[in-house]
Amino acid sequence: GERLLSGTVVVAGVAEMECSASAAESFQGKLQAAVEDARSSRSEMEELVNRFAEIYTPIVVLLSLLLALWSSNLTRGLTVLVSACPCAVVAAAPVVQSCAFVRLLSDLQVLVKDARALDSFAQVSRLGTDKTGTLTKGSFELHGVVVMPGQLEKTDLLKLLAALESQDSHPLANSLVRSYVGCAAEFDQGAPQLPKVDRFTRVESQGVWGIVEGQVVGAGSKRFLDSMAIDLPIEAEEQVKKWEQE
């Protein structure tokens, strides 16, 4: 069987799972530990400020004490101590870092594992990322339909496909349904109604088929069509190759 991470969502079907790790060793536990480690890490600027404070603060305290003893005026010594204390400088770096971590994680869902990464990021000139879920939303849209000559009209084809795919939970199925009924169809009484689907069958990782308005309708991959003994016209194969090259 495949290994599942904690927080996995089963979109379709049933999954039997066996727990193989404690909560602390799970994906969510490790993610929480990574967040805590990131918040406790220090950037180069914060380390520099801390080293400066380790030297500067004792000197200021000593000078303030000497001034108070030499002038016999405690108020003067406290004035020098308060005005020269580097609290604002020392506190600025960790406060800015914490605000950046909270902003990135809560609003942008970006986890920075080490504070030094923020310093290094300022020097980045090129960035490579995983596209889906990072630069895109992971939702599909139907951008074009090519109907072979002598076949159904485009509207009728979309109606049959939307009816068939409305029985499936695959992300691609949702895009085909939206292409015909629209995203707000369930709230609009005037939205087109989908015909009934009989004998709906889902072939795992290949496609789906069913009977819609007395016609056998199928949608799936090339392997699915081959398993159904369906030969694509030459024009359709050429169109598929054209899409694959884009």
Side-chain angles (χ1 to χ4, degrees):
E2 297 292 335
R3 182 183 178 185
L4 299 179
L5 301 177
S6 56
T8 299
V9 178
V10 180
V11 177
V14 178
E16 295 184 4
M17 296 170 286
E18 179 181 352
C19 181
S20 60
S22 62
E25 297 177 350
S26 66
F27 175 75
Q28 295 290 345
K30 291 179 180 180
L31 182 61
Q32 183 176 357
V35 173
E36 296 297 332
D37 292 341
R39 296 184 64 180
S40 61
S41 62
R42 293 182 177 181
S43 63
E44 293 183 2
M45 180 59 67
E46 187 176 359
E47 291 182 354
L48 177 63
V49 171
N50 288 335
R51 288 196 299 268
F52 168 77
E54 290 175 357
I55 300 174
Y56 179 76
T57 303
I59 294 176
V60 170
V61 173
L62 180 59
L63 290 178
S64 300
L65 179 60
L66 292 176
L67 179 60
L69 294 176
W70 176 75
S71 63
S72 300
N73 189 332
L74 182 60
T75 302
R76 183 174 296 177
L78 292 176
T79 302
V80 173
L81 177 62
V82 172
S83 59
C85 184
C87 292
V89 177
V90 175
V95 168
V96 171
Q97 175 182 307
S98 298
C99 292
F101 282 160
V102 171
R103 162 69 173 161
L104 289 172
L105 187 59
S106 62
D107 296 341
L108 304 178
Q109 288 77 51
V110 175
L111 173 61
V112 180
K113 293 185 177 181
D114 192 282
R116 294 177 181 270
L118 292 179
D119 294 336
S120 302
F121 196 70
Q123 304 174 5
V124 173
S125 59
R126 292 178 177 84
L127 177 65
T129 67
D130 174 59
K131 181 176 69 67
T132 305
T134 305
L135 303 179
T136 62
K137 296 181 180 180
S139 59
F140 302 94
E141 297 291 341
L142 182 63
H143 289 282
V145 178
V146 176
V147 182
M148 295 296 101
Q151 303 299 319
L152 295 173
E153 295 293 332
K154 177 180 177 180
T155 303
D156 296 332
L157 176 62
L158 288 177
K159 180 180 70 172
L160 296 177
L161 285 176
L164 177 67
E165 297 288 9
S166 65
Q167 308 298 308
D168 197 10
S169 58
H170 194 279
L172 289 177
N174 295 333
S175 65
L176 290 174
V177 175
R178 289 197 306 269
S179 67
Y180 180 72
V181 301
C183 60
E186 58 182 340
F187 306 106
D188 185 2
Q189 298 298 327
Q193 299 297 316
L194 296 177
K196 182 181 178 182
V197 179
D198 297 320
R199 298 181 60 186
F200 174 81
T201 303
R202 188 173 193 270
V203 182
E204 196 65 33
S205 303
Q206 294 189 28
V208 295
W209 70 274
I211 300 177
V212 184
E213 294 184 340
Q215 303 180 70
V216 178
V217 181
S221 63
K222 180 65 165 57
R223 186 174 58 171
F224 172 73
L225 297 179
D226 292 339
S227 66
M228 300 279 290
I230 299 177
D231 296 327
L232 287 177
I234 297 178
E235 297 84 352
E237 293 183 352
E238 292 178 350
Q239 182 63 50
V240 171
K241 292 180 180 179
K242 181 179 178 181
W243 283 335
E244 290 175 346
Q245 294 173 357
E246 293 179 354

